[in-house]
Amino acid sequence: MLKLGVLVSGSGTNLQSIIDSIEAGYLKAEVAVVISSKKGVYALERAKRHNIPAYAVERKNFDSQEKYEDKIIELLKEHSVELVVLAGFIKVLSPHFVRAFPSKIMNIHPSLIPSFCGKGFYGMKVHEAVIDYGAKITGVTVHFVDEGTDTGPIILQKAVPVEDDDTPETLAARVLKEEHKIYPEAVKLYSEGRLEIRGRRVIIKR
Ligand code: GRF
């Protein structure tokens, strides 16, 4: 069974969608550990409710980014994690972390990459930028993590319409609904060995 390590920073609804997909038998995997960049967030509560080992590892308690990441790597290895799933994890991970799990880290981003992504585009800022720009379509992207910010090979994308009366909040809610479908689907494809990375492209094998 594929062992997942889920990294979170907030409410953890994407973590929940993965847990629910496993419990429903849709996804054959196990959440081996949940690690949060912040104490007291609801995602940690969700992990505890499902008896998943959960830790908060805060950057401020480490002298360097490398030592911070080493602690996270240590916990992931301790729990024999095979795929790292970033689910609303707001800290940017350095190449040091990425090299510890080459092509074994996935991220979900609430826009159609390469639009509205990269440095500074996180959380509600993404949806604000989409509305300010006047885009008619946004969406969700699940991608492998490489050494850049939101630049890794794209696994799945889903378009979501922007309505005239959208606020960042209403748009975020519509996008989040799709996130909860697409992330379990991407992890499922990975767990079935159906994702093949060819340069920038991810081929989904039948
Ligand atoms: C999601 O919109 C995700 O795409 C983004 O952060 C949000 C996390 O939400 N990276 P949650 O903590 O999974 O509810």
Side-chain angles (χ1 to χ4, degrees):
M1 193 94 83
L2 180 73
K3 287 186 185 274
L4 308 175
V6 184
L7 269 55
V8 297
S9 300
S11 84
T13 62
N14 278 290
L15 164 67
Q16 190 68 54
S17 75
I18 289 169
I19 294 172
D20 292 347
S21 301
I22 292 171
E23 291 185 349
Y26 170 74
L27 176 58
K28 307 260 182 303
E30 176 196 336
V31 180
V33 64
V34 169
I35 301 171
S36 172
S37 65
K38 271 190 217 157
K39 274 188 193 163
V41 297
Y42 194 61
L44 289 168
E45 204 50 51
R46 295 182 195 269
K48 282 177 202 151
R49 275 196 202 165
H50 292 269
N51 295 316
I52 300 165
Y55 307 86
V57 183
E58 297 188 299
R59 174 66 181 84
K60 63 173 190 223
N61 298 330
F62 297 84
D63 324 329
S64 69
Q65 179 71 16
E66 189 163 323
K67 284 185 189 155
Y68 170 61
E69 292 180 357
D70 280 340
K71 179 68 197 174
I72 300 175
I73 294 167
E74 184 191 309
L75 286 169
L76 293 168
K77 301 262 177 192
E78 234 174 71
H79 290 275
S80 310
V81 165
E82 296 160 288
L83 179 69
V84 180
V85 177
L86 306 183
F89 186 74
I90 54 165
K91 292 266 179 257
V92 172
L93 294 162
S94 81
H96 173 67
F97 184 90
V98 177
R99 283 180 205 134
F101 291 94
S103 303
K104 292 189 168 86
I105 309 170
M106 274 187 198
N107 183 41
I108 190 158
H109 183 77
S111 78
L112 290 176
I113 290 176
S115 286
F116 307 106
C117 65
K119 226 173 166 281
F121 287 100
Y122 59 88
M124 217 41 90
K125 289 185 195 293
V126 177
H127 307 295
E128 279 162 17
V130 166
I131 292 172
D132 286 351
Y133 197 90
K136 301 284 189 190
I137 295 173
T138 183
V140 191
T141 303
V142 179
H143 63 93
F144 283 112
V145 173
D146 67 5
E147 296 186 11
T149 306
D150 299 333
T151 53
I154 291 171
I155 302 166
L156 292 174
Q157 289 187 304
K158 181 81 201 281
V160 173
V162 182
E163 307 292 355
D164 291 342
D165 57 357
D166 265 332
T167 62
E169 289 73 22
T170 60
L171 182 56
R174 192 174 310 116
V175 170
L176 199 58
K177 246 191 203 169
E178 295 303 328
E179 294 186 40
H180 297 159
K181 293 184 205 153
I182 208 178
Y183 219 0
E185 188 184 344
V187 176
K188 180 180 167 74
L189 289 169
Y190 184 93
S191 73
E192 295 170 346
R194 292 176 58 198
L195 300 179
E196 185 188 319
I197 304 176
R198 287 191 209 153
R200 283 211 49 80
R201 305 188 68 196
V202 178
I203 308 302
I204 300 175
K205 296 185 279 185
R206 296 185 152 268

